[in-house]
């Protein structure tokens, strides 16, 4: 039996195998892994298992594959074949990228349609609805930044490592050498929890995280920070600031904050696209060097 480990946060793995009967080497693409029971308090209790079987194209020998994923790590075991290599693929495909963008676009379009639809209503109703739409515009920004940061940080080992090395609170943590390898296995889960609990409306704290972990500049955040403060008053103070002065939100205010969020999203998307091109070109250059 041949055994190899994988990260429990991967979407799927690719296995390179060598048949133990005839020595034929081959690759299994897109082998989906089971998700662990994240609610379990122990690794053993969290393990979920999948089985699959295939036959060697050369000699017909049956090869059995077992995938067992727990909260602290996954393990793939193969009968009648040797594992020569294992590649991990995180949920960062173009589909996921598109899905994040589509989610933001859908919210933006819904707000635009709502602004047009409420025009004939009386002023009192419109004032109330403008406040809701203003708050929703900021929420769309939070959702976009949250999904983008989680996707990009957890996309591969290099990005996980960069976040670990640059996230300031980690600098105060002391790790016993005996726990070092265990902590390494747990890092994706730990980081996932940290990212989930970040306050994505706090752009002052969020901006350096994007820059240090992803090399993404959120740009001039002053106007958006002011909009976030107004959203807080709309949601938590019945539309009034700490001095008791009510925010008079009108249609142009909603459209202004929509444009601010749109510019931020566009800037982040463009920087991510540039990163993808650089990564692709680096990969091509490395392949050419290996061939030489």
């Amino acid at each position: 039996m041949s055994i190899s480990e994988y990260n429990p946060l991967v979407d799927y793995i690719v296995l390179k195998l060598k048949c133990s009967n005839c020595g034929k080497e081959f690759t299994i693409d897109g082998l989906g892994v089971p998700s662990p029971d994240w609610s379990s308090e122990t690794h053993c209790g969290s393990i979920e298992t999948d089985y699959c079987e295939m036959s060697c194209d050369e000699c017909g020998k049956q090869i059995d594959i077992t995938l067992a994923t727990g909260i602290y790590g996954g393990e793939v075991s193969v009968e009648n074949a040797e594992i020569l290599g294992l590649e991990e693929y995180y949920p960062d495909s173009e589909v996921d990228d598109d899905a994040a963008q589509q989610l933001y676009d859908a919210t933006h379009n819904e707000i635009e349609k709502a602004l047009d639809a409420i025009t004939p209503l009386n002023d009192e109703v419109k004032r109330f609805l403008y406040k809701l739409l203003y708050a929703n515009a900021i929420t769309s920004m939070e959702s976009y930044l949250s999904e983008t940061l989680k996707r990009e940080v957890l996309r591969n080992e290099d990005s996980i490592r960069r976040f670990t090395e640059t996230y300031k609170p980690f600098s105060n943590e002391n790790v016993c050498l005996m726990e070092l390898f265990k902590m390494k296995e747990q890092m994706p889960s730990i980081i996932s929890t940290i990212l989930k609990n970040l306050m994505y409306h706090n752009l002052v704290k969020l901006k350096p995280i994007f820059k240090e972990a992803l090399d993404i500049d959120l740009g001039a955040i002053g106007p958006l920070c002011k909009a976030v403060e107004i959203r807080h008053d709309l949601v938590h103070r019945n539309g009034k600031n700490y001095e008791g002065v009510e925010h008079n939100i009108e249609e142009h205010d909603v459209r202004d904050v929509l444009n601010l969020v749109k510019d931020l999203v566009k800037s982040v998307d463009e920087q991510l696209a540039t990163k993808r091109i650089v990564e692709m070109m680096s990969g091509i250059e490395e392949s050419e060097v290996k061939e030489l």
Side-chain angles (χ1 to χ4, degrees):
M1 178 184 293
S2 184
I3 298 175
S4 188
E5 297 180 347
Y6 56 84
N7 192 302
L9 293 177
V10 299
D11 191 19
Y12 64 92
I13 61 175
V14 171
L15 288 177
K16 184 176 182 181
L17 303 177
K18 180 180 180 181
C19 178
S20 58
N21 186 51
C22 66
K24 171 74 173 181
E25 295 184 8
F26 55 94
T27 300
I28 302 178
D29 293 319
L31 190 59
V33 304
S35 296
D37 179 5
W38 295 104
S39 64
S40 177
E41 296 181 357
T42 65
H43 174 71
C44 291
S46 71
I47 293 177
E48 298 290 342
T49 306
D50 275 352
Y51 306 91
C52 63
E53 60 182 44
M54 60 171 297
S55 298
C56 174
D57 293 337
E58 187 73 18
C59 66
K61 183 71 172 180
Q62 179 175 308
I63 296 172
D64 299 313
I65 302 173
T66 303
L67 300 115
T69 312
I71 57 177
Y72 293 149
E75 182 178 272
V76 55
S77 56
V78 180
E79 293 277 5
N80 300 324
E82 178 186 357
I83 300 175
L84 300 179
L86 182 153
E87 295 182 12
E88 300 177 333
Y89 288 84
Y90 292 78
D92 67 323
S93 65
E94 292 183 0
V95 173
D96 289 321
D97 290 349
D98 290 344
Q101 183 65 45
Q102 289 170 6
L103 176 63
Y104 164 75
D105 287 341
T107 304
H108 183 94
N109 291 336
E110 287 172 358
I111 296 175
E112 290 276 9
K113 290 178 181 178
L115 283 172
D116 294 333
I118 66 178
T119 300
L121 303 178
N122 66 63
D123 291 342
E124 184 177 355
V125 173
K126 284 195 291 188
R127 281 196 297 270
F128 173 75
L129 293 177
Y130 286 150
K131 292 177 181 178
L132 294 181
L133 294 175
Y134 190 100
N136 201 16
I138 298 298
T139 301
S140 72
M141 177 195 72
E142 291 179 287
S143 298
Y144 172 82
L145 293 176
S146 171
E147 292 303 313
T148 300
L149 185 61
K150 287 186 289 186
R151 183 190 69 227
E152 294 300 313
V153 168
L154 297 174
R155 64 191 301 259
N156 55 42
E157 288 189 2
D158 288 341
S159 55
I160 289 174
R161 178 176 179 176
R162 178 165 178 165
F163 180 84
T164 303
E165 293 175 341
T166 60
Y167 187 57
K168 293 296 191 295
F170 284 167
S171 63
N172 298 322
E173 296 289 334
N174 294 318
V175 180
C176 173
L177 289 176
M178 294 178 64
E179 297 290 321
L180 190 60
F181 287 101
K182 183 179 179 180
M183 284 294 297
K184 181 180 179 181
E185 294 175 353
Q186 295 176 350
M187 281 312 298
S189 178
I190 293 172
I191 291 174
S192 180
T193 300
I194 289 172
L195 297 177
K196 180 180 178 181
N197 293 325
L198 284 178
M199 306 298 286
Y200 286 90
H201 61 265
N202 192 338
L203 296 176
V204 173
K205 289 187 177 181
L206 205 60
K207 182 174 180 175
I209 294 176
F210 265 81
K211 183 61 179 177
E212 293 163 4
L214 304 179
D215 197 24
I216 296 294
D217 186 4
L218 296 186
I221 60 174
L224 274 171
C225 288
K226 179 60 178 177
V228 169
E229 292 179 6
I230 294 175
R231 193 278 300 267
H232 180 273
D233 292 339
L234 296 177
V235 174
H236 300 289
R237 301 180 58 81
N238 197 29
K240 297 181 180 180
N241 62 21
Y242 285 104
E243 287 73 38
V245 178
E246 185 171 0
H247 294 287
N248 182 26
I249 304 298
E250 299 181 0
E251 179 180 352
H252 71 85
D253 296 306
V254 180
R255 294 194 183 279
D256 287 346
V257 75
L258 276 176
N259 287 331
L260 287 174
V261 175
K262 183 178 180 179
D263 289 343
L264 175 66
V265 170
K266 180 181 178 182
S267 174
V268 173
D269 280 345
E270 289 176 347
Q271 291 178 72
L272 287 174
T274 301
K275 284 185 62 177
R276 294 284 192 270
I277 293 173
V278 172
E279 290 172 357
M280 181 182 68
M281 296 304 296
S282 298
I284 293 174
E285 291 175 357
E286 290 177 2
S287 298
E288 291 176 345
V289 169
K290 289 180 180 179
E291 290 178 0
L292 293 175

